[in-house]
Amino acid sequence: MHRSFRYQETWLHKVNPSLKLLSLLILFLAALFINNPNVLVNFAILLTIILFAFSGHPFKRVFWIAFPFFFISLTTAIPMILFGTGEEQWIHWGIIQVSKESFIRGLHIGLRAFAFSLLGLLFSLTTRPVYLFYSLMQQLKLSPKYAYSFMAGIRLIPIMIAEFQTIRSALKVRGIQKRSGLKGVYHMMQTYSIALLSQSIRRAHRMAVAMEAKRFKSSAQRTFYYQLGFSYLDWLWIGLVILMVPAIYLTGMHFPYIPITDVRG
């Protein structure tokens, strides 16, 4: 069963996918070197605003998509908060030691993980995979045989999900009951994996034969169904990214939420 979510296309969807990918990768690398938690807070807040304002998806859907990533970031921060070391101790109960330093470092790690997930969500919710691969072929000169292979692989995911649901329905019709315990888990994995793998291998073979027939192995120049280029919206996106970096840095330095500028100190 194929499902698609309706969304409103915003200007961020029309930004060139390769340009968007490269700019978000630069922001990803920049976030790795941010050691000021105040700057990281501003970075996460700004990304959250952009995600909710320009993703084109309803507020509730974006919230529930982002919530698991927030929870993962929180669980990433908790071990550092509870078991880190520091001079100014707040709580000491058994093996749990919460200090000011461990709390700040844990908060910093959690914020960084959440910022990474927001960058990924911003890209995935505003970029069509087909446009991304066409842009990679046209702007970054990715070989068509790799681009079309990735696109074919992505198209296989909903087909495999539909096959999984078909197998599950067939098992229910035949009255096969789920077994409990580890043996039951092993039996179910065996039942599903053999059928899914055999179908996937057959499909992959047919796809490889079709791609060879279409001369995807040759290095001849190919034409593209979608022609992707640059527009004024790409300059708008670049301007936003360029303005964002000094804005979050200066705001974090001059209007700090916590009186610490470097978590390494």
Side-chain angles (χ1 to χ4, degrees):
M1 184 170 57
H2 295 257
R3 290 182 180 177
S4 59
F5 295 106
R6 290 184 180 179
Y7 60 90
Q8 187 178 1
E9 198 167 85
T10 64
W11 66 273
L12 209 49
H13 292 83
K14 298 174 184 173
V15 174
N16 186 279
S18 295
L19 180 69
K20 199 191 310 178
L21 178 65
L22 291 175
S23 55
L24 289 178
L25 281 175
I26 291 170
L27 288 177
F28 179 89
L29 292 174
L32 283 175
F33 297 98
I34 296 176
N35 296 312
N36 188 333
N38 300 293
V39 176
L40 208 52
V41 169
N42 291 335
F43 187 51
I45 290 174
L46 195 56
L47 286 176
T48 305
I49 293 171
I50 295 173
L51 179 67
F52 278 91
F54 301 119
S55 70
H57 292 263
F59 182 91
K60 192 176 178 181
R61 185 186 301 158
V62 177
F63 173 81
W64 285 114
I65 292 174
F67 183 77
F69 295 98
F70 174 76
F71 182 74
I72 292 170
S73 306
L74 189 65
T75 53
T76 307
I78 285 175
M80 175 58 78
I81 293 173
L82 295 182
F83 307 109
T85 57
E87 294 179 357
E88 189 176 335
Q89 216 167 60
W90 289 348
I91 300 172
H92 188 191
W93 185 53
I95 59 172
I96 296 173
Q97 294 182 18
V98 181
S99 63
K100 180 183 175 183
E101 292 82 0
S102 68
F103 180 80
I104 299 294
R105 286 171 189 154
L107 183 69
H108 190 78
I109 290 172
L111 281 170
R112 180 173 285 166
F114 190 54
F116 289 161
S117 60
L118 288 173
L119 288 170
L121 285 175
L122 190 62
F123 183 76
S124 57
L125 291 180
T126 60
T127 309
R128 285 182 61 184
V130 174
Y131 289 168
L132 170 64
F133 288 112
Y134 269 85
S135 175
L136 290 175
M137 285 189 284
Q138 292 173 42
Q139 273 80 53
L140 299 185
K141 306 304 177 189
L142 177 68
S143 173
K145 64 181 178 183
Y146 297 119
Y148 280 98
S149 300
F150 277 114
M151 279 194 280
I154 291 173
R155 293 286 296 172
L156 286 180
I157 294 172
I159 296 174
M160 290 186 70
I161 293 172
E163 282 183 358
F164 176 82
Q165 292 171 338
T166 304
I167 296 169
R168 189 172 61 178
S169 301
L171 292 175
K172 281 183 181 176
V173 169
R174 292 176 186 178
I176 297 175
Q177 301 293 328
K178 283 185 181 179
R179 300 179 187 176
S180 59
L182 289 176
K183 281 188 177 179
V185 174
Y186 174 74
H187 180 258
M188 291 304 293
M189 286 179 64
Q190 193 180 29
T191 305
Y192 284 102
S193 60
I194 291 173
L196 288 173
L197 274 175
S198 60
Q199 289 293 334
S200 298
I201 291 169
R202 286 177 194 156
R203 193 174 294 107
H205 176 71
R206 289 198 297 269
M207 199 177 294
V209 172
M211 290 185 74
E212 282 188 5
K214 295 285 185 182
R215 299 178 62 81
F216 272 89
K217 288 178 72 177
S218 68
S219 57
Q221 193 74 19
R222 303 190 71 88
T223 56
F224 301 105
Y225 183 75
Y226 297 108
Q227 292 291 337
L228 297 177
F230 297 100
S231 68
Y232 72 96
L233 294 172
D234 300 305
W235 290 105
L236 181 64
W237 168 248
I238 291 295
L240 178 66
V241 172
I242 291 174
L243 285 174
M244 188 167 70
V245 175
I248 60 172
Y249 178 77
L250 293 174
T251 311
M253 292 299 290
H254 295 288
F255 304 100
Y257 306 102
I258 45 180
I260 291 179
T261 56
D262 194 335
V263 291
R264 297 171 298 176

